[in-house]
């Protein structure tokens, strides 16, 4: 009976861990989506800034000094956006690696849960057999 309670408690803990891992998995999918949106935004900003650079380059000779100043600002922004894009990509890859680890952990947890169910079933059969034997022994004594 004590062993059965211990196994039931272990099963409950394993099931709770599995539920937590499933919640974590959903969070990581959400974070990966956010990272992808960030990357797409960075690409759009980069493209817009590249167009601005092209427009600035088309300016006349008279605006050369202004053009250089504007180009420097835009190029700095472009570098910042490209850095954001790289950061978003790195973040996405890190999240994918974490998701893979969580998936492995969830699979392991489900395997433990299955093993505990088998142990629980065997213990239940053992207990029923033991109770039946005691019942027959008691009837034979009468």
């Amino acid at each position: 009976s004590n062993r059965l309670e211990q196994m039931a408690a272990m099963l409950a803990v394993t099931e709770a861990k599995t539920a937590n891992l499933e919640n974590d998995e959903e969070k990581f999918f959400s974070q990966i989506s956010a990272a992808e949106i960030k990357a797409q935004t960075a690409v759009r900003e980069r493209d817009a800034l590249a167009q601005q650079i092209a427009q600035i380059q088309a300016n006349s000779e008279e605006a050369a000094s202004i053009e250089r100043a504007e180009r420097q600002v835009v190029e700095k922004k472009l570098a910042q956006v490209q850095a954001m894009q790289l950061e978003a990509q790195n973040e996405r890859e890190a999240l994918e690696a974490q998701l893979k680890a969580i998936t492995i952990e969830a699979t392991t947890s489900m395997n433990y849960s299955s093993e505990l169910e088998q142990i629980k079933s065997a213990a239940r059969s053992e207990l029923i057999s033991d109770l039946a034997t005691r019942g027959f022994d008691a009837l034979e004594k009468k």
Side-chain angles (χ1 to χ4, degrees):
S1 166
N2 224 2
R3 184 175 172 212
L4 199 58
E5 289 174 4
Q6 288 175 341
M7 284 188 274
M10 286 172 58
L11 179 60
V13 168
T14 300
E15 289 171 345
K17 281 183 179 180
T18 301
N20 284 340
L21 289 170
E22 289 170 353
N23 286 340
D24 287 349
E25 187 176 55
E26 288 177 18
K27 287 178 190 173
F28 281 110
F29 276 125
S30 174
Q31 289 175 337
I32 286 171
S33 293
E36 288 174 342
I37 290 169
K38 238 179 168 179
Q40 291 169 358
T41 301
V43 167
R44 283 194 296 275
E45 288 181 14
R46 183 198 64 205
D47 291 346
L49 290 169
Q51 284 179 346
Q52 287 179 16
I53 290 172
Q55 288 175 340
I56 290 168
Q57 289 171 342
N59 286 343
S60 69
E61 293 282 326
E62 300 165 4
S65 63
I66 295 171
E67 179 183 326
R68 279 192 298 278
E70 288 178 346
R71 186 182 309 129
Q72 287 175 348
V73 168
V74 171
E75 286 173 348
K76 183 178 178 184
K77 285 182 184 179
L78 179 59
Q80 290 171 342
V81 168
Q82 287 171 335
M84 285 173 45
Q85 185 179 13
L86 181 61
E87 179 184 326
Q89 178 65 28
N90 291 341
E91 184 178 320
R92 180 174 183 254
E93 289 171 7
L95 290 171
E96 286 173 343
Q98 288 177 321
L99 176 62
K100 185 176 181 181
I102 285 174
T103 302
I104 290 168
E105 196 173 330
T107 301
T108 302
S109 179
M110 285 186 275
N111 290 342
Y112 286 148
S113 179
S114 174
E115 288 175 29
L116 285 174
E117 282 295 332
Q118 291 173 358
I119 292 169
K120 188 170 138 183
S121 176
R124 195 177 287 133
S125 297
E126 218 176 283
L127 181 62
I128 290 169
S129 174
D130 186 46
L131 289 174
T133 302
R134 286 183 193 176
F136 286 128
D137 288 350
L139 286 175
E140 286 178 2
K141 286 181 184 175
K142 286 185 180 181

